[in-house]
Amino acid sequence: MKHTIYILLLLITCASCTKQPKLDGLDLEKFKNDFGGCKGERLKMVDKLKSLKEEIKGVSSNDLDDYLGKPDIQQLADRSQEYYIYFLEPGNHCEDVKKKSNAQMMAVRFSAMGMATEVNFQRGMPEE
C-alpha cells in the first residue's frame, strides 16, 4: 500500500511539472487583448512568435492559455488531439466569428496528453 502511494505521488508530481516557455520580448498583454488579431497588434508580433516556435512546443494547453489567453478557435483533431488557433491579423472573422477566414494564423497542435507538439503559421484552418 505504501509503495502504491509513493508511485501515485511521483506521478502527480511529474504531471504538474510542465515546461514553462521563455517568451521574452513578446508583449503577452497586448497579445491577449487583441482577440482575433482584429486590432492589428498581433501582426506586429509575427516575427517574434516565429522565433519562439520551439519554446512553445512542449507547453501544456493550460499553460498556453495562461500565457497567450484563450484561443480564438479551438478545433478538435483526430486521436483526441486538438488545435489552438490564434489569428494574427484582421479578417472576415472580425466582422462575424462564424465567417470562414483566410487570415494569417498560428495553429498549435496538442497531443492527447495536452502538450504542444507542433506550431504552424498558415492561412486557412489546419487539416485534421
Side-chain angles (χ1 to χ4, degrees):
M1 180 70 171
K2 223 182 201 184
H3 185 62
T4 305
I5 292 172
Y6 288 128
I7 291 174
L8 184 60
L9 287 173
L10 179 64
L11 288 174
I12 290 170
T13 302
C14 290
S16 65
C17 298
T18 59
K19 177 183 173 187
Q20 301 299 307
K22 294 182 180 99
L23 301 178
D24 299 331
L26 190 63
D27 190 332
L28 299 175
E29 285 307 308
K30 276 188 180 179
F31 190 93
K32 287 179 191 177
N33 291 328
D34 188 11
F35 190 78
C38 296
K39 295 179 185 175
E41 292 297 326
R42 289 181 181 176
L43 190 57
K44 299 172 190 173
M45 302 178 198
V46 172
D47 289 337
K48 186 64 182 172
L49 282 166
K50 286 181 178 180
S51 74
L52 296 170
K53 183 176 175 175
E54 293 302 316
E55 269 305 309
I56 295 171
K57 289 182 184 177
V59 174
S60 75
S61 57
N62 290 335
D63 286 343
L64 201 62
D65 280 351
D66 292 340
Y67 286 99
L68 300 181
K70 294 286 181 196
D72 302 322
I73 297 175
Q74 195 169 345
Q75 178 183 350
L76 293 178
D78 57 341
R79 293 172 284 165
S80 301
Q81 298 180 49
E82 67 180 335
Y83 283 100
Y84 274 15
I85 308 298
Y86 294 96
F87 287 107
L88 302 174
E89 66 183 359
N92 292 341
H93 63 279
C94 293
E95 299 164 16
D96 182 356
V97 293
K98 295 177 184 173
K99 284 187 178 179
K100 188 173 181 177
S101 182
N102 200 32
Q104 185 177 8
M105 65 180 69
M106 178 174 72
V108 182
R109 185 180 188 119
F110 291 93
S111 69
M113 299 297 290
M115 303 305 281
T117 57
E118 292 178 43
V119 180
N120 296 307
F121 295 86
Q122 61 193 53
R123 293 187 181 278
M125 297 303 287
E127 298 295 323
E128 293 185 30

